[in-house]
Amino acid sequence: MTAIGIHDIEVATGHHVVNLTELAEARGVDPNKYIKGLGQDEFSFPAPDEDVVTMGATAAHRLLERTGAEGIRTLLFATETGVDQSKSTAVFVHKLLDLPGEVRSIELKQACYSGTGALQAALGIIARNPGERVLVISSDIARYELDSPGEPTQGAGAVAMLVSADPALVEIEPASGVFSEDVDDFWRPNDSSTAVVDGGLSITAYLKSVEKAWKDLEQHGGPSISDVAAFVYHQPFTKMARKAQAHLAAFTGTELNDGALDTGSVYNRRMGNSYTASLYSALTSLLHHEDGLTGKRVGLVSYGSGSVAEILTGIVRADDATRRGFRDRVLGMLDSRVRLSVPEYEGMHEKAMPSAEDTETAAVTKSPFRFAGVRGRARHYERA
Ligand code: CAA
């Protein structure tokens, strides 16, 4: 059978950064609650001329500079921060990337899970047409109300993956474990720019889903857990990955590689929650920071509130030096974000979602693409 998987991967994030020690002080909270209790140091915050389209296009642009766009006939864009009720984010990105007309461009939604749904769809398309490649983009902006429990877990980020036959980076294995259940743990109504969340329920629903998806994977020919060298998880906050791994270890009665929880969370600790992109920025962090993974199996644990979960496994193909070689570029991108004071962030938080009324957007972002504004009630994007 042809090996199919992730040929290359890239991360992008927002222009600004908010420091969680400063936010804790402003909220009258011990900073260790955020840094140790949640496992978060900072979060990215987009400039007014950035959104999921510009972040997704930026990640994809950097990826395609390395790989070229030949063979791409499908662009799948996963997000729960859609910018229009009808037109997909994928169509905007298709234009920004100058892709040829002969491409199917679609947006997928199921909370933080849909990046994994997009990856599965890509694997299926390539199984039928091994000469094609699929561009999968996950991009989100996590927003909660000011001074709410979710506030320190906000964030912004995008991950682009080129999925192909004979992949250079990670071969995805055919077996996967899935689980769906209708739960009101987290959602965002159409008239709200911030998410509604039942924090306690969201954590128990996540843990239950991991257990159910793992059992389903076992029943569908998945590997023994002792043959998985490292797991990466959807990380609404990085401590959640620790909770999920502890649960997985307990109900399977296995000792798991806890060191991978650190190497798999370097970027997420600094970007915050990026919903659909979170699992894949965790995978990127693991691949860039965990040595000795070549030829070994990794587990990918995906959870999207509402809820859908899936566990995939893959075999790492790229060598340590190649994977490590990408680390400094991502760290440099995170270092170069422009810091916001808490009052500056609060002011931007209140007007972060532009309305559908006509408006011109101030030029701020240093990314290659920007959201130019709304004309005739239609969104316009341009090269920055
Ligand atoms: N020093 C060190 N640790 C401290 C501390 C201190 N001074 N003070 C508190 N802590 C610890 C607590 O003990 C706790 O740790 P444990 O969970 O290991 O017990 C941790 O800090 C958090 O403290 P609380 O539980 O009191 O925090 P909270 O109730 O204010 O908020 C939350 C936590 C409910 C998860 C909130 O951040 C939230 O609502 N987040 C959004 C929802 C979310 O992310 N859910 C996760 C699963 S859903 C999902 O995955 C989908 C998605 O992306 C949203």
mmCIF file with all atom_site columns, all heavy atoms in Angstrom, residues 16 24 53 57 135 148 212 248 282 355 359 369:
data_model
loop_
_atom_site.group_PDB
_atom_site.id
_atom_site.type_symbol
_atom_site.label_atom_id
_atom_site.label_alt_id
_atom_site.label_comp_id
_atom_site.label_asym_id
_atom_site.label_entity_id
_atom_site.label_seq_id
_atom_site.pdbx_PDB_ins_code
_atom_site.Cartn_x
_atom_site.Cartn_y
_atom_site.Cartn_z
_atom_site.occupancy
_atom_site.B_iso_or_equiv
_atom_site.pdbx_formal_charge
_atom_site.auth_seq_id
_atom_site.auth_comp_id
_atom_site.auth_asym_id
_atom_site.auth_atom_id
_atom_site.pdbx_PDB_model_num
ATOM 1  N N   . HIS A 1 16  ? 0.737   40.301 17.461 1.00 0.00 ? 16  HIS A N   1
ATOM 2  C CA  . HIS A 1 16  ? 0.961   40.785 18.835 1.00 0.00 ? 16  HIS A CA  1
ATOM 3  C C   . HIS A 1 16  ? 1.098   39.628 19.819 1.00 0.00 ? 16  HIS A C   1
ATOM 4  O O   . HIS A 1 16  ? 0.698   38.495 19.530 1.00 0.00 ? 16  HIS A O   1
ATOM 5  C CB  . HIS A 1 16  ? -0.227  41.643 19.280 1.00 0.00 ? 16  HIS A CB  1
ATOM 6  C CG  . HIS A 1 16  ? -0.321  42.954 18.565 1.00 0.00 ? 16  HIS A CG  1
ATOM 7  N ND1 . HIS A 1 16  ? 0.618   43.951 18.709 1.00 0.00 ? 16  HIS A ND1 1
ATOM 8  C CD2 . HIS A 1 16  ? -1.253  43.440 17.707 1.00 0.00 ? 16  HIS A CD2 1
ATOM 9  C CE1 . HIS A 1 16  ? 0.273   45.001 17.965 1.00 0.00 ? 16  HIS A CE1 1
ATOM 10 N NE2 . HIS A 1 16  ? -0.855  44.709 17.337 1.00 0.00 ? 16  HIS A NE2 1
ATOM 11 N N   . ALA A 1 24  ? -1.950  38.232 34.676 1.00 0.00 ? 24  ALA A N   1
ATOM 12 C CA  . ALA A 1 24  ? -2.295  37.721 36.017 1.00 0.00 ? 24  ALA A CA  1
ATOM 13 C C   . ALA A 1 24  ? -2.269  38.861 37.030 1.00 0.00 ? 24  ALA A C   1
ATOM 14 O O   . ALA A 1 24  ? -3.179  38.995 37.860 1.00 0.00 ? 24  ALA A O   1
ATOM 15 C CB  . ALA A 1 24  ? -1.324  36.610 36.415 1.00 0.00 ? 24  ALA A CB  1
ATOM 16 N N   . VAL A 1 53  ? -7.741  33.987 7.774  1.00 0.00 ? 53  VAL A N   1
ATOM 17 C CA  . VAL A 1 53  ? -7.325  33.890 6.365  1.00 0.00 ? 53  VAL A CA  1
ATOM 18 C C   . VAL A 1 53  ? -5.869  34.324 6.216  1.00 0.00 ? 53  VAL A C   1
ATOM 19 O O   . VAL A 1 53  ? -5.060  33.620 5.592  1.00 0.00 ? 53  VAL A O   1
ATOM 20 C CB  . VAL A 1 53  ? -8.256  34.759 5.476  1.00 0.00 ? 53  VAL A CB  1
ATOM 21 C CG1 . VAL A 1 53  ? -7.702  34.852 4.062  1.00 0.00 ? 53  VAL A CG1 1
ATOM 22 C CG2 . VAL A 1 53  ? -9.669  34.199 5.482  1.00 0.00 ? 53  VAL A CG2 1
ATOM 23 N N   . ALA A 1 57  ? -2.963  31.813 5.191  1.00 0.00 ? 57  ALA A N   1
ATOM 24 C CA  . ALA A 1 57  ? -2.243  32.054 3.932  1.00 0.00 ? 57  ALA A CA  1
ATOM 25 C C   . ALA A 1 57  ? -0.749  32.208 4.193  1.00 0.00 ? 57  ALA A C   1
ATOM 26 O O   . ALA A 1 57  ? 0.086   31.744 3.402  1.00 0.00 ? 57  ALA A O   1
ATOM 27 C CB  . ALA A 1 57  ? -2.806  33.306 3.250  1.00 0.00 ? 57  ALA A CB  1
ATOM 28 N N   . LEU A 1 135 ? -3.407  20.585 0.089  1.00 0.00 ? 135 LEU A N   1
ATOM 29 C CA  . LEU A 1 135 ? -2.978  21.607 1.043  1.00 0.00 ? 135 LEU A CA  1
ATOM 30 C C   . LEU A 1 135 ? -4.029  21.685 2.147  1.00 0.00 ? 135 LEU A C   1
ATOM 31 O O   . LEU A 1 135 ? -5.198  21.993 1.878  1.00 0.00 ? 135 LEU A O   1
ATOM 32 C CB  . LEU A 1 135 ? -2.847  22.961 0.324  1.00 0.00 ? 135 LEU A CB  1
ATOM 33 C CG  . LEU A 1 135 ? -2.423  24.142 1.185  1.00 0.00 ? 135 LEU A CG  1
ATOM 34 C CD1 . LEU A 1 135 ? -1.092  23.908 1.885  1.00 0.00 ? 135 LEU A CD1 1
ATOM 35 C CD2 . LEU A 1 135 ? -2.357  25.417 0.328  1.00 0.00 ? 135 LEU A CD2 1
ATOM 36 N N   . SER A 1 148 ? -12.577 36.449 32.196 1.00 0.00 ? 148 SER A N   1
ATOM 37 C CA  . SER A 1 148 ? -13.293 35.171 32.370 1.00 0.00 ? 148 SER A CA  1
ATOM 38 C C   . SER A 1 148 ? -12.250 34.073 32.596 1.00 0.00 ? 148 SER A C   1
ATOM 39 O O   . SER A 1 148 ? -11.063 34.271 32.307 1.00 0.00 ? 148 SER A O   1
ATOM 40 C CB  . SER A 1 148 ? -14.109 34.860 31.113 1.00 0.00 ? 148 SER A CB  1
ATOM 41 O OG  . SER A 1 148 ? -13.237 34.602 30.018 1.00 0.00 ? 148 SER A OG  1
ATOM 42 N N   . LYS A 1 212 ? -12.545 6.859  24.778 1.00 0.00 ? 212 LYS A N   1
ATOM 43 C CA  . LYS A 1 212 ? -13.403 6.191  23.788 1.00 0.00 ? 212 LYS A CA  1
ATOM 44 C C   . LYS A 1 212 ? -12.669 6.040  22.451 1.00 0.00 ? 212 LYS A C   1
ATOM 45 O O   . LYS A 1 212 ? -12.756 5.003  21.791 1.00 0.00 ? 212 LYS A O   1
ATOM 46 C CB  . LYS A 1 212 ? -14.685 6.988  23.573 1.00 0.00 ? 212 LYS A CB  1
ATOM 47 C CG  . LYS A 1 212 ? -15.593 7.002  24.784 1.00 0.00 ? 212 LYS A CG  1
ATOM 48 C CD  . LYS A 1 212 ? -16.347 5.681  24.885 1.00 0.00 ? 212 LYS A CD  1
ATOM 49 C CE  . LYS A 1 212 ? -17.438 5.763  25.935 1.00 0.00 ? 212 LYS A CE  1
ATOM 50 N NZ  . LYS A 1 212 ? -18.133 4.484  26.087 1.00 0.00 ? 212 LYS A NZ  1
ATOM 51 N N   . LEU A 1 248 ? -4.818  8.626  29.734 1.00 0.00 ? 248 LEU A N   1
ATOM 52 C CA  . LEU A 1 248 ? -4.505  7.551  28.785 1.00 0.00 ? 248 LEU A CA  1
ATOM 53 C C   . LEU A 1 248 ? -3.603  6.504  29.457 1.00 0.00 ? 248 LEU A C   1
ATOM 54 O O   . LEU A 1 248 ? -3.812  5.288  29.325 1.00 0.00 ? 248 LEU A O   1
ATOM 55 C CB  . LEU A 1 248 ? -3.811  8.181  27.568 1.00 0.00 ? 248 LEU A CB  1
ATOM 56 C CG  . LEU A 1 248 ? -3.553  7.372  26.317 1.00 0.00 ? 248 LEU A CG  1
ATOM 57 C CD1 . LEU A 1 248 ? -4.819  6.722  25.781 1.00 0.00 ? 248 LEU A CD1 1
ATOM 58 C CD2 . LEU A 1 248 ? -2.947  8.287  25.232 1.00 0.00 ? 248 LEU A CD2 1
ATOM 59 N N   . ALA A 1 282 ? 1.413   21.559 18.045 1.00 0.00 ? 282 ALA A N   1
ATOM 60 C CA  . ALA A 1 282 ? 2.049   20.652 19.015 1.00 0.00 ? 282 ALA A CA  1
ATOM 61 C C   . ALA A 1 282 ? 2.893   19.604 18.290 1.00 0.00 ? 282 ALA A C   1
ATOM 62 O O   . ALA A 1 282 ? 4.026   19.309 18.683 1.00 0.00 ? 282 ALA A O   1
ATOM 63 C CB  . ALA A 1 282 ? 0.981   19.979 19.870 1.00 0.00 ? 282 ALA A CB  1
ATOM 64 N N   . SER A 1 355 ? -17.168 44.415 11.868 1.00 0.00 ? 355 SER A N   1
ATOM 65 C CA  . SER A 1 355 ? -18.536 44.118 11.443 1.00 0.00 ? 355 SER A CA  1
ATOM 66 C C   . SER A 1 355 ? -18.563 43.952 9.932  1.00 0.00 ? 355 SER A C   1
ATOM 67 O O   . SER A 1 355 ? -17.557 44.093 9.248  1.00 0.00 ? 355 SER A O   1
ATOM 68 C CB  . SER A 1 355 ? -19.449 45.265 11.846 1.00 0.00 ? 355 SER A CB  1
ATOM 69 O OG  . SER A 1 355 ? -19.207 46.351 10.974 1.00 0.00 ? 355 SER A OG  1
ATOM 70 N N   . THR A 1 359 ? -15.529 49.226 5.635  1.00 0.00 ? 359 THR A N   1
ATOM 71 C CA  . THR A 1 359 ? -14.474 49.819 6.461  1.00 0.00 ? 359 THR A CA  1
ATOM 72 C C   . THR A 1 359 ? -13.118 49.593 5.795  1.00 0.00 ? 359 THR A C   1
ATOM 73 O O   . THR A 1 359 ? -12.943 48.626 5.061  1.00 0.00 ? 359 THR A O   1
ATOM 74 C CB  . THR A 1 359 ? -14.488 49.183 7.876  1.00 0.00 ? 359 THR A CB  1
ATOM 75 O OG1 . THR A 1 359 ? -13.373 49.657 8.592  1.00 0.00 ? 359 THR A OG1 1
ATOM 76 C CG2 . THR A 1 359 ? -14.423 47.688 7.846  1.00 0.00 ? 359 THR A CG2 1
ATOM 77 N N   . PHE A 1 369 ? 0.425   38.878 3.899  1.00 0.00 ? 369 PHE A N   1
ATOM 78 C CA  . PHE A 1 369 ? -0.955  39.148 3.469  1.00 0.00 ? 369 PHE A CA  1
ATOM 79 C C   . PHE A 1 369 ? -1.689  39.930 4.552  1.00 0.00 ? 369 PHE A C   1
ATOM 80 O O   . PHE A 1 369 ? -1.411  39.760 5.736  1.00 0.00 ? 369 PHE A O   1
ATOM 81 C CB  . PHE A 1 369 ? -1.695  37.830 3.221  1.00 0.00 ? 369 PHE A CB  1
ATOM 82 C CG  . PHE A 1 369 ? -0.956  36.894 2.321  1.00 0.00 ? 369 PHE A CG  1
ATOM 83 C CD1 . PHE A 1 369 ? -0.319  35.769 2.844  1.00 0.00 ? 369 PHE A CD1 1
ATOM 84 C CD2 . PHE A 1 369 ? -0.837  37.159 0.959  1.00 0.00 ? 369 PHE A CD2 1
ATOM 85 C CE1 . PHE A 1 369 ? 0.400   34.913 2.024  1.00 0.00 ? 369 PHE A CE1 1
ATOM 86 C CE2 . PHE A 1 369 ? -0.125  36.303 0.135  1.00 0.00 ? 369 PHE A CE2 1
ATOM 87 C CZ  . PHE A 1 369 ? 0.498   35.180 0.668  1.00 0.00 ? 369 PHE A CZ  1
#
